[in-house]
Amino acid sequence: MHRVRTVLNNLVPLAPLIHNAAGPERFASWLLRSGKTSYTVLVSITRHYNAPVQTEPFLNGSSSAYVEEMYNAWLADPKSVHVSWDSFFRNSSAGAAPGQAYQPPPSLAAPGRNQVPVTSIAPYLGGSAAPALGGQINEKIIDDHLAVQAIIRSYQIRGHHIAKLDPLGISSADLDDKHPPELLYSHYSFGKRPSTTYSQHLQQKVASMMEHEADMDRVFKLPSTTFIGGKEKALSLREILRRLETAYCRHIGCEFMFINSLEQCNWIRQKLESPGIMEMDNDEKRLILARLTRATGFESFLAKKWSSEKRFGLEGCEILIPAMKQVIDKSTELGVESIVMGMPHRGRLNVLANVCRKPLEQIFTQFAALEAADDGSGDVKYHLGTYIERLNRVTNKNIRLAVVANPSHLEAADPVVQGKTRAEQFYRGDGEGKKVMSLLLHGDAAFCGQGIVYETFHLSDLPDYTTHGTVHIVVNNQIGFTTDPRHSRSSPYCTDVARVVNAPIFHVNSDDPESVMHVCKIAAEWRAAFHKDVVIDIVCYRRNGHNEIDEPMFTQPLMYRKIKHTSPVLDKYSERLIQEGVVTPEEVKDVKDKYEKICEESYVNAHKETHIKYKDWLDSPWSGFFEGKDPLKVSPTGVKEDTLVHIGKRMSSPPPNAAEFIIHKGIERILKSRMEMVEARIVDWALGEAMAFGSLLKEGIHVRLSGQDVERGTFSHRHHVLHHQTVDKATYKPLCHMYPDQGPYTVCNSSLSEFGVVGFELGYSMTNPNALVCWEAQFGDFNNTAQCIIDQFISSGQAKWVRQSGLVMLLPHALEGMGPEHSSARLERFLQMSSDDPDYFPPESEEFAVRQLHDINWIVANCSTPANYFHILRRQIALPFRKPLILMTPKSLLRHPEARSSFDLMTENTEFLRVIPEEGPATENPSAVKKLVYCSGKVYYDLKKARNEKNLEKDIAIARVEQISPFPYDLVKKECAKYPNAALCWAQEEAKNQGAWTYVQPRFNTTLNGASGVRPRRHRENSEGFFGKFFGWHSGLTENATSQLHPPTSTPRVISYAGRPTAASPATGSKMQHLRELTALLDDAMAV
Ligand SMILES: Cc1ncc(C[n+]2csc(CCOP(=O)(O)OP(=O)(O)O)c2C)c(N)n1
Ligand SMILES: [Mg+2]
């Protein structure tokens, strides 16, 4: 438009210039001479403007010299000028009538997408004389068309702001009551001028167009960026506005014009604008009604039977159930076979019952106070997961549906669902997400409030984390507990976070079921077409309080008054369908009664149940994993020497095409030193790890290592991806090329999100037990930004949801003078959450170690040798069950010359050493040893050095506790017994209130002096439990047995502490103080 203006302003009358022109006969004089003083010319068919000849730019003062030149050149050789000049001069010479001399040049290129040939709009000039070439097409006509185009665009961009999204009709989903003025329909009522507009210029144009009723009937050609016309190429302004209103301002408000893809924008425009696109046949309508009846009936049944029970009902958003089913139906139709879902409390039971079709009996038993038939502490009913395989009756295809169990912590399950989905895609070879997809549900307050939502969105398009598009559904009941959205978010919509990944967002009024179904269909099709995230924001309300026993009128009196007078969507929709003649009132009643009967029957059956079964709620069944396994048998973790040599050599060699693949000189040195180690039959930390991974890969196990900068390793020790130094993206991953038929290896640098990525890897580990899934922290202390995943899922997941995971968390940990934030992985926190009883020494037997592992919630270890690291990684897979492994990992030890292990400690018949006993001179005369120092991890090397410097090798024995939890009572006891006269000491580098001290101290006491008698009676202590039943053995012994094994002694042996004093911060920032503290602790430990 600006350009039009500029051109028009530049136009000046031609005649005066011509009269004043001097010199021989010039083209202008010739023009005058021919008496052609006033006529109109079409300037260009593609330049969007026209002007009378007297205002022709090529005949104005500044261009007349140029025109003259053209004319003279043409006289000399007509071919020497552009064809347009040639035709103009030729026509003029031939005496063409005014306005007819100029002919537009032949089109050199097809008009652009948004270019409308002037000739083509000529027929749509609202009844004015069609201007054939040379007719009158003035600026107004062009501008009117442009204005219409701008109106269309305004609706597409901002129509959602005035869509009627709130079923209560009291507030606006974007928290803004003002209508964007450029959305014209309401403002541009006939005879009225708009107050403001998108651009002043357009405002004038559109306003002037609509000053008269007749203008509304003027016909305009439609641009290619709209589909409102269907097959029609032009429409009256009235119809254009009506259709735009229908598409963008009724019960669907769509945000999509920020997407930087014309193809994707057009795709959505087509789905919303095409005439009749929302029409449904009667069968489809009846299906919605039936689903809505079930969703509504389920909640009212629960309300009737358990009126005072919390269930976080769906009343006010019952449409969620048909909505989810629509997404599922459409996705199944498009090829999806498995859907992994994550959702919060709201409507969860309804989803399990009516989307997953979980047997109602199982759901109803959760309301009864029944004993659990399995191990574990269980969870409340609205957190449990489920897994179901069934036939989708609409598509007649089999479908697997899993709802991932989740804690109360809103949105925390999001990355877990994504990880589980990704893993399922991976194992199915579904590289594009065509077979497996995730469906995430959110509450409005949580979706915009919880940072993990943003972190999860940022995984959505990363090569090793994408799930190829997630459908998000927000149950936007316009409240979070008691808080109004105006106090819980700063963004207009609760869904704005999704804009960061260019996800289209469909806001929809929950009381218009057909609109909801329409957007669900589009969302499923969007995912199938583009494999990107999409959001459906169901704007609804919450009929009850936050839960059923909560009083909402305390805080939202006006809203709830309105809600009281709002009839349920089922009633509204049934009435509508009755009016339309789609169903009869009798049919409506019949469907309702039938469902109630089903509920009643299940209720009766549920009463016959005597136990609840946690395993009924398992979201990741590992079929075939437990069956046929000896529950006490751990496969060997040592491997053949050949294997070590083979892997070692591969890890020490450049890529096979080394001549072309230029690697960094530093890497060459690393490979060389690796090769020297292999030849010397030793490994350092990195090589030990590679051997663990490589040997598992050899066995067909999938290994995945994920985390920030893990490919190289934060400490530049790993180098699992070699980079060609001169070719971008040319890489070589040695562990992917170990054996021809090996398991797949994935190593991936992650986004900088601990919460998101730990959650993701946990989800990944849930899908298949035969995979080693490791997450490594940059430094161990960063694990606490994933605290929720650690607390809510990793440490307690099995107890709550009978779900196992073998996830490995690698946490660099050690006090090395690097300051407070790069030192501690907060070992104490993990140990504090370990579930083994400090006062209980389990009965000693051959299977002591494996029983302990079975009974605990996770394993916490701090290895001091590469061989032990190798074994503990391999043991994760060798165990007959899965437990998370929390591993403190080294920093300086990665390069410590003593922190190396011989192949002899990794070959067959070797295993993970829970305790590494003293092996030096002190063992020669143990009864003469004065002190036995226990420690864990890197401090061992400091202690050893100090002992050596003080010449105390015969006086002090040092034992390393490598597996801290479950506590190796048996081995500690043995080591203590070996040195009967030694004082006992626990040495650690962490502060006294940190590290392992508070965990080990009571356990040492129990080891040395028997049970303290403070052990509370365990619920179902002797029951065999689910896994016990499964494995056919008991999970523990009685208190009595323990006491007999370890009667209290008369002279208790105690363990003392050598380490830093208590502290608030994990480490000092001063190097000097660090060294002073280290010296003090070593002195204390070595004091005899
Ligand atoms: C991380 C977290 N913080 C606080 C809570 C407590 N809480 C439970 S439900 C709820 C409100 C959630 O509102 P919304 O997301 O809109 O879901 P709605 O209950 O409205 O369906 C809150 C604050 C929680 N469960 N999780
Ligand atoms: Mg809410």
Side-chain angles (χ1 to χ4, degrees), residues 900-945:
R900 295 188 169 189
S901 301
S902 158
F903 280 10
D904 292 339
L905 296 170
M906 299 157 75
T907 45
E908 288 155 300
N909 301 322
T910 62
E911 59 177 2
F912 174 68
L913 304 174
R914 289 175 291 140
V915 171
I916 303 183
E918 171 63 58
E919 284 159 353
T923 56
E924 288 159 19
N925 186 4
S927 51
V929 168
K930 296 184 184 133
K931 193 169 191 178
L932 169 57
V933 177
Y934 282 96
C935 66
S936 189
K938 172 222 143 210
V939 75
Y940 166 74
Y941 294 94
D942 297 323
L943 291 165
K944 192 173 165 220
K945 185 161 165 267

Side-chain angles (χ1 to χ4, degrees), residues 345-346 442-446 475-481 483 542:
H345 50 288
R346 181 79 50 218
H442 316 267
D444 53 321
V475 173
N476 180 359
N477 52 21
Q478 310 182 75
I479 193 164
F481 210 145
T483 304
R542 191 188 69 192

Side-chain angles (χ1 to χ4, degrees), residues 841-845 848 852 914-915 917 932 934 959 961 967-980 984 1003-1011 1041-1047 1049 1053 1055:
F841 190 134
E844 288 174 274
S845 70
F848 184 91
Q852 260 197 319
R914 289 175 291 140
V915 171
L932 169 57
Y934 282 96
V961 179
F967 190 70
Y969 286 104
D970 53 338
L971 300 180
V972 167
K973 181 180 149 198
K974 196 166 141 200
E975 194 69 353
C976 289
K978 187 166 165 188
Y979 304 97
L984 301 175
R1003 288 166 177 82
F1004 266 103
N1005 279 342
T1006 300
T1007 310
L1008 298 167
N1009 307 308
T1042 311
S1043 311
Q1044 281 164 7
L1045 278 165
H1046 300 282
T1049 55
R1053 221 175 156 189
I1055 186 154

Side-chain angles (χ1 to χ4, degrees), residues 113 153 156 224-227 248 254-273 461 468-469 498-506 522-523 525-534:
R113 271 198 91 80
R153 197 172 158 75
Q156 292 168 338
S224 59
T225 50
T226 188
F227 297 84
Y248 292 108
C254 182
E255 291 180 272
F256 67 103
M257 289 290 281
F258 52 78
I259 298 174
N260 300 322
S261 157
L262 185 61
E263 183 200 1
Q264 291 171 9
C265 285
N266 275 342
W267 188 94
I268 292 173
R269 287 192 264 238
Q270 191 160 20
K271 301 281 177 190
L272 292 172
E273 295 177 357
D461 221 6
H468 308 282
R499 294 173 68 125
V500 295
V501 293
N502 273 335
I505 300 162
F506 297 93
I522 300 177
E525 287 171 347
W526 164 271
R527 188 204 172 262
F530 300 108
H531 289 286
K532 288 168 71 72
D533 284 27
V534 52

Side-chain angles (χ1 to χ4, degrees), residues 682-927:
I682 51 170
V683 294
D684 66 1
W685 213 270
L687 205 45
E689 177 186 81
M691 287 183 177
F693 288 177
S695 55
L696 289 171
L697 293 168
K698 179 173 188 263
E699 293 159 23
I701 298 293
H702 168 39
V703 179
R704 176 178 164 101
L705 173 62
S706 148
Q708 292 149 28
D709 307 293
V710 293
E711 295 177 7
R712 188 201 73 173
T714 299
F715 310 103
S716 201
H717 66 292
R718 182 174 286 126
H719 299 289
H720 282 192
V721 181
L722 306 184
H723 291 260
H724 195 306
Q725 295 294 296
T726 57
V727 180
D728 186 34
K729 293 186 199 145
T731 56
Y732 176 71
K733 299 175 186 167
L735 278 167
C736 294
H737 306 280
M738 285 290 146
Y739 297 93
D741 50 356
Q742 66 172 71
Y745 180 58
T746 305
V747 57
C748 42
N749 290 345
S750 73
S751 82
L752 214 169
S753 154
E754 287 81 17
F755 193 167
V757 179
V758 177
F760 187 95
E761 300 311 333
L762 174 81
Y764 199 99
S765 75
M766 280 155 44
T767 301
N768 178 2
N770 293 314
L772 183 72
V773 182
C774 309
W775 175 78
E776 184 174 70
Q778 188 109 80
F779 285 92
D781 38 358
F782 298 122
N783 82 69
N784 62 6
T785 68
Q787 198 68 55
C788 177
I789 298 292
I790 296 166
D791 293 353
Q792 264 56 46
F793 292 85
I794 302 177
S795 83
S796 55
Q798 184 179 347
K800 293 194 289 193
W801 308 315
V802 278
R803 181 173 69 203
Q804 301 191 13
S805 159
L807 179 72
V808 179
M809 291 181 74
L810 301 171
L811 308 176
H813 168 88
L815 275 73
E816 295 175 341
M818 292 174 73
E821 294 352 322
H822 291 91
S823 299
S824 172
R826 295 299 197 167
L827 172 62
E828 62 279 7
R829 294 224 182 109
F830 292 100
L831 291 173
Q832 190 256 331
M833 286 195 278
S834 279
S835 66
D836 61 338
D837 191 323
D839 302 315
Y840 176 64
F841 190 134
E844 288 174 274
S845 70
E846 284 275 292
E847 299 94 23
F848 184 91
V850 67
R851 276 182 188 273
Q852 260 197 319
L853 293 172
H854 172 269
D855 287 350
I856 202 159
N857 57 333
W858 59 15
I859 306 160
V860 184
N862 189 4
C863 300
S864 64
T865 69
N868 238 7
Y869 179 43
F870 165 86
H871 283 293
I872 201 168
L873 288 176
R874 286 184 49 80
R875 194 181 70 174
Q876 283 300 96
I877 298 299
L879 287 171
F881 43 80
R882 292 290 173 259
K883 295 285 163 173
L885 169 63
I886 313 299
L887 203 54
M888 304 294 117
T889 57
K891 295 177 286 180
S892 64
L893 286 200
L894 297 172
R895 295 187 172 78
H896 195 293
E898 286 190 57
R900 295 188 169 189
S901 301
S902 158
F903 280 10
D904 292 339
L905 296 170
M906 299 157 75
T907 45
E908 288 155 300
N909 301 322
T910 62
E911 59 177 2
F912 174 68
L913 304 174
R914 289 175 291 140
V915 171
I916 303 183
E918 171 63 58
E919 284 159 353
T923 56
E924 288 159 19
N925 186 4
S927 51

